[in-house]
Amino acid sequence: MVYPIERNYINMGNARNGRKLVGVKFIVSHDTGNPGSTAIGNRNYFNDNQPKSSAHTFVDDQEIMEIIPLDEMAYHVQAQKPADNELFGANANSAAIGVELCYGGSIQFRQAYDRYVWYHAYLCRTYRLDPRTKIVSHRTLDEGRKIDPEGVFKANGIKWERFIKDVYRQYVSRQ
């Protein structure tokens, strides 16, 4: 299955400053932490409110929506956290794509998860990243403060290791 990707970029402001990434070195997996919020709902929130945070892409059971161009910075991990630099030699906000999973409410988890897996594999193919070593959870980068997306995965019977295997399986299938 190949899913369409909608590019519906937010305006410039606090959430999108237009600065370029130094290159895509890894992917950070997140969940919204806001059950029931959709991809378009998140896009509109970031566009209208312009908080000093953001992510590149939101995935729900209906769509994959890029709200910040993938060659621009997004603020999806606290800059002062050292784990991203230790693991990848770069700050996540300047060298990683942030992908958010929408869940809960009327969102069908399985369909959202399938799109989320597919999109991660798509990014790995596009940027020549090994999904077994170049995808990291937000929890790993901000341990003790964040649990995403592993908390939502766990609530739905999925372990982080299975997610990585699912992405790898999709990655090698070339779909």
Side-chain angles (χ1 to χ4, degrees):
M1 175 62 124
V2 175
Y3 295 104
I5 299 168
E6 182 176 347
R7 291 171 178 94
N8 189 347
Y9 301 137
I10 62 174
N11 295 325
M12 294 293 194
N14 288 328
R16 177 183 176 205
N17 69 14
R19 288 166 52 210
K20 298 296 183 189
L21 289 176
V22 297
V24 178
K25 297 183 179 192
F26 59 105
I27 301 165
V28 182
S29 303
H30 301 266
D31 70 57
T32 63
N34 187 11
S37 68
T38 62
I40 189 65
N42 278 284
R43 184 256 174 230
N44 292 341
Y45 169 80
F46 282 96
N47 188 65
D48 297 344
N49 293 287
Q50 289 292 328
K52 291 189 179 189
S53 63
S54 55
H56 291 93
T57 308
F58 289 84
V59 180
D60 65 23
D61 59 346
Q62 301 296 313
E63 57 194 343
I64 298 167
M65 185 172 295
E66 292 175 2
I67 71 164
I68 294 179
L70 300 182
D71 66 343
E72 291 182 14
M73 291 176 65
Y75 300 108
H76 52 103
V77 176
Q78 283 191 345
Q80 70 272 22
K81 299 294 181 180
D84 47 0
N85 293 293
E86 293 166 3
L87 291 169
F88 300 103
N91 180 284
N93 296 325
S94 60
I97 294 174
V99 183
E100 298 269 358
L101 175 64
C102 302
Y103 66 95
S106 64
I107 295 171
Q108 299 297 309
F109 177 79
R110 191 50 160 161
Q111 287 91 333
Y113 179 79
D114 289 347
R115 280 178 169 71
Y116 192 69
V117 165
W118 179 89
Y119 187 70
H120 277 76
Y122 162 82
L123 291 174
C124 287
R125 281 192 302 277
T126 300
Y127 294 99
R128 294 185 170 96
L129 303 173
D130 184 336
R132 297 168 297 184
T133 59
K134 299 298 182 180
I135 299 173
V136 65
S137 73
H138 193 196
R139 184 191 70 72
T140 297
L141 299 183
D142 197 349
E143 196 166 13
R145 195 175 77 88
K146 294 291 185 175
I147 61 167
D148 61 311
E150 293 172 64
V152 170
F153 286 175
K154 183 178 179 182
N156 287 278
I158 297 170
K159 293 184 177 183
W160 177 256
E161 296 76 18
R162 176 175 162 207
F163 167 67
I164 295 300
K165 286 179 184 176
D166 289 345
V167 172
Y168 185 74
R169 202 172 302 117
Q170 182 70 52
Y171 170 79
V172 296
S173 78
R174 310 289 291 162
Q175 290 185 9

